[in-house]
Amino acid sequence: MTETASHASRADMVDICRRMNSSGINQGTAGNLSLRTGDTFLITPSSLAYDKMEPEDIVEMDFDGTYEGRRRPSSEWRFHRDILAARKDINVVLHCHSIYATTLAVHHKTIPSFHYMTGVAGGTTIRCAKYATFGTQALSDYALEALEGRLACLLGQHGQISLGADLEKALWLGIEVETISRLYVQALTLGEPPILSDEEMARVLKQMDQMSYGQAPDLEGVNDTARPRQAADA
Ligand code: 13P
């Protein structure tokens, strides 16, 4: 990567981090973010508030765990490294302690298909990974397990992880996971809600697979196809 491209990526990461805070999914020095940059990856520094963070504070790491930069990498570099190494379908790992996702995570609850939007994470559930101390290899192993076939998971008694092909998509998903978590917590106050069938979720997932959500082409036999006015008149 050229120096200019590297600076632009670091600046984009700072922007996404600040938006994690302004969207309400993160606060203080919790949370971290990484971005694949070919053979290496960029990761946020440990324990630095996002409003104080500059592009030069972002750390460059190799997949062998060595790093270069004026700051130490996030204490969670292991799960960032392991997820980026295992999941070639994504380029960004976002972690935060958003309130409602973490509320479910402290109870080790998996989010079921109580609402079709559970499907945004790529399956019929958003799993909760087993607890392990922050920054450990065990936490990384549990996170990878919970992310099998998914783009997001909760971390037991800790927070959430959302993945994306790019920075914007990872932030979008982090906010969606928080929203669906909030809905679930709210729904639970009236008792455990009913679950959509696997057959219905298969339809939803097929539709979402052809994302962007809402922009997906209608599925034959599933949607009442809306047509632009001109085509309808013809
Ligand atoms: P870092 O500041 O080291 O990234 O740690 C924050 C955190 O959320 C740990 O899980």
Side-chain angles (χ1 to χ4, degrees):
M1 196 162 54
T2 65
E3 215 161 292
T4 319
S6 166
H7 185 83
S9 299
R10 289 161 190 259
D12 288 347
M13 286 178 72
V14 172
D15 173 54
I16 293 289
C17 284
R18 293 193 178 150
R19 284 163 59 195
M20 279 165 75
N21 283 0
S22 62
S23 67
I25 64 167
N26 197 64
Q27 62 86 43
T29 62
N32 28 71
L33 180 71
S34 64
L35 168 69
R36 187 197 309 280
T37 51
D39 289 346
T40 62
F41 63 97
L42 297 173
I43 187 164
T44 47
S46 186
S47 309
L48 184 65
Y50 293 155
D51 56 347
K52 303 230 159 47
M53 194 169 72
E54 301 296 337
E56 295 71 29
D57 291 315
I58 303 283
V59 183
E60 183 172 7
M61 285 199 92
D62 283 310
F63 281 83
D64 65 4
T66 56
Y67 71 93
E68 200 178 305
R70 67 186 190 191
R71 302 263 182 194
R72 289 185 64 192
S74 166
S75 54
E76 302 294 13
W77 65 268
R78 283 178 187 79
F79 74 58
H80 286 270
R81 187 262 316 261
D82 294 347
I83 295 168
L84 289 170
R87 296 285 300 263
K88 297 287 157 40
D89 56 320
I90 59 96
N91 297 305
V92 175
V93 179
L94 178 149
H95 165 61
C96 62
H97 301 173
S98 56
I99 300 295
Y100 286 91
T102 308
T103 300
L104 295 171
V106 298
H107 284 284
H108 288 258
K109 275 203 168 286
T110 280
I111 305 175
S113 306
F114 76 105
H115 188 289
Y116 78 92
M117 284 295 278
T118 298
V120 289
T124 56
T125 55
I126 299 174
R127 302 185 196 101
C128 184
K130 283 179 256 179
Y131 177 80
T133 312
F134 74 92
T136 59
Q137 187 59 49
L139 178 61
S140 175
D141 295 345
Y142 292 153
L144 260 178
E145 192 179 273
L147 284 167
E148 179 80 42
R150 299 287 188 276
L151 289 170
C153 71
L154 306 181
L155 295 179
Q157 285 158 303
H158 187 153
Q160 62 137 307
I161 294 178
S162 288
L163 313 180
D166 58 40
L167 288 164
E168 290 290 343
K169 289 199 176 91
L171 177 63
W172 170 80
L173 186 56
I175 295 170
E176 288 299 330
V177 168
E178 176 62 0
T179 304
I180 195 91
S181 298
R182 186 174 180 181
L183 275 172
Y184 190 40
V185 169
Q186 188 86 7
L188 284 169
T189 62
L190 302 178
E192 192 69 54
I195 304 302
L196 293 168
S197 68
D198 284 352
E199 192 192 10
E200 174 54 17
M201 282 306 287
R203 268 196 292 271
V204 167
L205 290 168
K206 191 164 177 199
Q207 181 87 327
M208 285 181 166
D209 208 32
Q210 302 170 19
M211 292 258 230
S212 300
Y213 176 66
Q215 302 301 315
D218 294 313
L219 284 184
E220 215 179 306
V222 174
N223 307 90
D224 263 340
T225 306
R227 284 165 298 155
R229 189 166 281 156
Q230 247 181 351
D233 289 346

